[in-house]
Amino acid sequence: MEALIPVINKLQDVFNTVGADAIQLPQIIVLGTQSSGKSSVIESLVGRSFLPRGPGIVTRRPLVLQLVYSPKDSKEHRSAEEVLRHQNTEATTWNPITQLSHSIFSKGTINLEEWGKFLHTKDKVYTDFEAIRQEIERETDRMAGSNKGICPEPISLKIYSTTVVNLTLVDLPGITKIPIGDQPEDIENQIRNLIIKYISNPNSIILAVTAANTDMATSEAIKMAKEVDTDGRRTLAVVTKLDLMDAGTDAIDILCGRVIPVKLGIIGVVNRSQQDIIDKKTISDALKDEATYLQRKYPTIATRNGTPYLAKTLNRLLMHHIRDCLPELKVRVNVMISQFQSLLNSYGDDVSDKSQTLLQIITKFASAYCSTIEGTARNIETTELCGGARICYIFHETFGRTLDSIHPLVGLTRMDILTAIRNATGPRPALFVPEVSFELLVKRQIRRLEDPSLRCVELVHEEMQRIVQHCGTEVQQEMLRFPRLHQRIVDVVTQLLRTRLPATNSMVENLVAIELAYINTKHPDFHREAALVSGLLKSTDGLIDENSPIFRQKTPRATPSPVSTLFKMNGTPENKVLTPQKPVNLLPEVPSQTSRKLSDREQHDCDVIERLIKSYFYIVRKSIQDSVPKAVMHFLVNYVKDNLQSELVTHLYKSDQAESLLNESEHIAQRRKEAADMLKALQRAGQIISEIRETHMW
């Protein structure tokens, strides 16, 4: 299982290169409050002093530290020697010491025990750990500034040594409560959010560091660990500064887990004091003093505490944790490879021949547009009707139901019909229902079919415009790559539809006008109803009363006119002069159109007209319901289908426009690069994981 930690280190390097945190790798997260001894614990594990020190927040960026055990005859040693030799060969400052180094390297007598490499400095080898500390400080100031603020971007450091055990640690900023100096006011929340982000990784092991000279019940590190690791299965506690406890007290109850139980255990260590650091006390000497102190103060548990035991425990826990996480990690990597491959394909390749690419996009769009109308597209919508299906719905559902809802006599009262009949007879009383009244009334009803017909054209026009958004995933992705081309295609389609709309509306208006131009009472479907009218008229004999014109013609009699009667009463005009009198209104007032009870004859006439209007209106409505969709298909839909590609080529395929139309948006190019880098990293990660044999895991 020793091979598992280097595998995770390789995966860490791969994903740190692309700055991705989508893969949650197994690693040890070190957290604790300021001055709790985190840095001392990490330096003791490494065996070297290399971390920045000072007052306030010193660790202001996460430090991903990979410890790699490297024997002298290993490949890493040989590689480091070659790089270091190359670095010194390229040195520009010549002095006796440099020349001596060159002679040593040229003889191949280099003998490295330990060295470090940063991810951001590529293959540069650091043999001086003081230079490593300076590089950490310089890189921290570069990203986080010099005002004691923090930055979430990690620094990746790999330390090779013949004395370390394989580990992957992440050192986080210390937990603080009150901003000091130039620190931002929300420094506590910033640090807390950063820590939660790392320890929330279910594949991580939490190393909670607490000083022994503080109350364990108030430990912020253990409290935050419990927030994300409620069952405690991945939390290990470290108690530092055992030698600084008050006289007469000890940490035996704490280390045995009787104060706060921790499933993975509690390990006590002794740090170097500040005076030891000032006096440059080596860590090897500090480890000897730590062992002596533990043997003297805690003899019964000395073998289960101390820095060497902590290193072995962390190594064992991390290996077992990696073994448990590796199968799921492999599945996750394979799934993400598939996802990013699809994402990269959606962004397309870089355009080399723009004229050819432009013609291909135009052809694909025109084909996809027509396929959407015809219903032959490969990617069919399942959430809503679109294209030809929606046009069909407009024709036979929306338009059809609207026409069916128009009653033949809507807006037409019996008084309107009676008035039309009277107006059509003129000054002569009519024996029969005048045909003119029927024509006037039926035309009035036929005109009501024009507005729904024009609305049908409008709905189809809107759907033809919407089809641009349903032209297949591949076409949409290419159009998103080139926003200017997308807009120009939309403009061409809009203009083509706009030019066809007047002709289509005019044709639909003409269809209604044709019906109004000639009321065909000889229509085969109407002839039967018209034949019934004569039978209805024959039944009017019984409805004629004495006051009817027909009755007066049968019994003619002289009836003096009112004027002649008036003359006789006042003498003849020749013999008597009329005396002036008050004018007399001899005609009754025109009756107003108010509701009244109609006579039987009037009822009969209205029934005849209503029946004729209904019959003829149904005929015309049926014709309009059939002819309007045909007109829309011919003048609008089919015309656009047949001429779309030629219109796009005419307006877009020009040599001077291809360059500008196929300029990608900046975010698409950036996303393609990020997706390509991530895919390469995932493929490399897949290869690394696949190299692990089943026997390595046990």
Side-chain angles (χ1 to χ4, degrees), residues 41 62 76-77 133 145 193 242 332 406 420 460 481 541 553 583 591-592 643 674 698:
V41 170
E76 288 84 1
H77 254 90
R133 175 188 286 113
N193 294 336
L242 292 176
R332 176 65 176 163
I406 300 176
V460 174
R481 289 179 59 194
D541 292 342
Q553 290 175 3
S592 60
N643 295 275
E674 292 174 355
W698 301 97

Side-chain angles (χ1 to χ4, degrees), residues 599-615:
S599 65
D600 293 341
R601 173 60 184 271
E602 291 171 341
Q603 287 277 11
H604 180 271
D605 292 347
C606 290
D607 289 341
V608 171
I609 294 296
E610 286 181 359
R611 186 163 183 174
L612 293 174
I613 290 174
K614 286 183 179 180
S615 176

Side-chain angles (χ1 to χ4, degrees), residues 215-486:
D215 190 352
M216 283 287 290
T218 62
S219 172
E220 287 290 334
I222 295 179
K223 177 184 176 183
M224 293 186 69
K226 282 189 174 183
E227 290 181 12
V228 297
D229 182 29
T230 54
D231 57 358
R233 67 177 185 84
R234 55 188 182 91
T235 300
L236 174 68
V238 174
V239 178
T240 62
K241 304 180 181 180
L242 292 176
D243 56 332
L244 297 184
M245 297 186 69
D246 293 339
T249 62
D250 59 31
I252 188 68
D253 290 338
I254 295 175
L255 297 177
C256 292
R258 292 194 286 266
V259 177
I260 297 179
V262 180
K263 283 188 177 181
L264 295 184
I266 301 176
I267 299 176
V269 297
V270 178
N271 305 112
R272 289 184 300 169
S273 66
Q274 186 61 37
Q275 187 61 47
D276 292 337
I277 296 173
I278 295 174
D279 295 340
K280 298 185 182 301
K281 182 179 182 180
T282 63
I283 292 180
S284 59
D285 292 339
L287 292 177
K288 292 178 183 178
D289 292 344
E290 178 190 51
T292 302
Y293 177 82
L294 291 174
Q295 194 63 43
R296 176 173 55 83
K297 186 73 175 177
Y298 305 98
T300 58
I301 58 174
T303 57
R304 300 196 302 273
N305 290 276
T307 301
Y309 180 78
L310 174 63
K312 293 178 182 179
T313 302
L314 290 176
N315 176 262
R316 175 177 54 83
L317 289 175
L318 186 58
M319 284 191 299
H320 285 83
H321 200 62
I322 292 171
R323 183 191 64 186
D324 296 338
C325 297
L326 205 56
E328 182 183 352
L329 188 64
K330 185 175 182 178
V331 173
R332 176 65 176 163
V333 168
N334 291 333
V335 170
M336 291 189 67
I337 287 175
S338 177
Q339 292 175 345
F340 275 88
Q341 184 65 62
S342 300
L343 182 63
L344 185 61
N345 293 339
S346 69
Y347 292 140
D349 300 326
D350 290 332
V351 179
S352 55
D353 189 343
K354 293 195 173 183
S355 296
Q356 180 181 358
T357 303
L358 178 59
L359 187 58
Q360 289 175 349
I361 293 176
I362 290 174
T363 304
K364 284 182 182 179
F365 174 80
S367 176
Y369 191 94
C370 296
S371 298
T372 305
I373 294 176
E374 295 169 357
T376 58
R378 288 185 299 174
N379 299 317
I380 298 177
E381 281 283 349
T382 58
T383 57
E384 62 173 341
L385 291 178
C386 66
R390 191 174 184 87
I391 292 174
C392 180
Y393 183 87
I394 292 170
F395 285 156
H396 302 292
E397 298 293 333
T398 306
F399 180 56
R401 283 202 305 265
T402 303
L403 291 187
D404 291 341
S405 66
I406 300 176
H407 193 271
L409 301 177
V410 62
L412 198 62
T413 65
R414 289 229 158 178
M415 291 305 300
D416 295 337
I417 297 174
L418 185 60
T419 301
I421 293 173
R422 286 186 172 184
N423 287 336
T425 60
R428 299 176 307 281
L431 291 174
F432 306 102
V433 178
E435 186 176 345
V436 176
S437 61
F438 160 70
E439 290 195 7
L440 290 174
L441 293 172
V442 80
K443 285 181 179 180
R444 171 180 167 181
Q445 300 307 104
I446 290 173
R447 287 190 182 92
R448 297 181 182 276
L449 301 176
E450 183 174 349
D451 286 343
S453 301
L454 294 175
R455 178 58 181 160
C456 176
V457 177
E458 183 180 350
L459 290 175
V460 174
H461 175 267
E462 291 175 358
E463 178 58 26
M464 296 286 284
Q465 188 71 47
R466 287 180 66 249
I467 291 176
V468 177
Q469 310 302 326
H470 295 274
C471 287
T473 306
E474 183 179 353
V475 175
Q476 290 299 323
Q477 289 170 349
E478 289 189 348
M479 292 173 68
L480 288 175
R481 289 179 59 194
F482 311 110
R484 187 172 178 184
L485 175 60
H486 178 217

Side-chain angles (χ1 to χ4, degrees), residues 496-527:
L496 180 59
L497 291 171
R498 188 181 293 122
T499 56
R500 296 306 302 166
L501 188 59
T504 310
N505 284 334
S506 177
M507 184 60 196
V508 171
E509 291 171 352
N510 286 337
L511 290 175
V512 179
I514 288 170
E515 298 292 345
L516 294 172
Y518 180 62
I519 305 300
N520 184 16
T521 56
K522 290 294 184 180
H523 192 281
D525 295 336
F526 183 73
H527 188 65

Side-chain angles (χ1 to χ4, degrees), residues 48 75 129 144 164 185 213 221 351 395 452 464 529 535 566 588 647 695:
R48 284 282 193 162
K75 180 175 65 176
F129 280 80
V164 299
E185 292 296 327
N213 56 356
V351 179
F395 285 156
M464 296 286 284
E529 293 292 336
L566 181 61
E647 287 288 323
T695 55

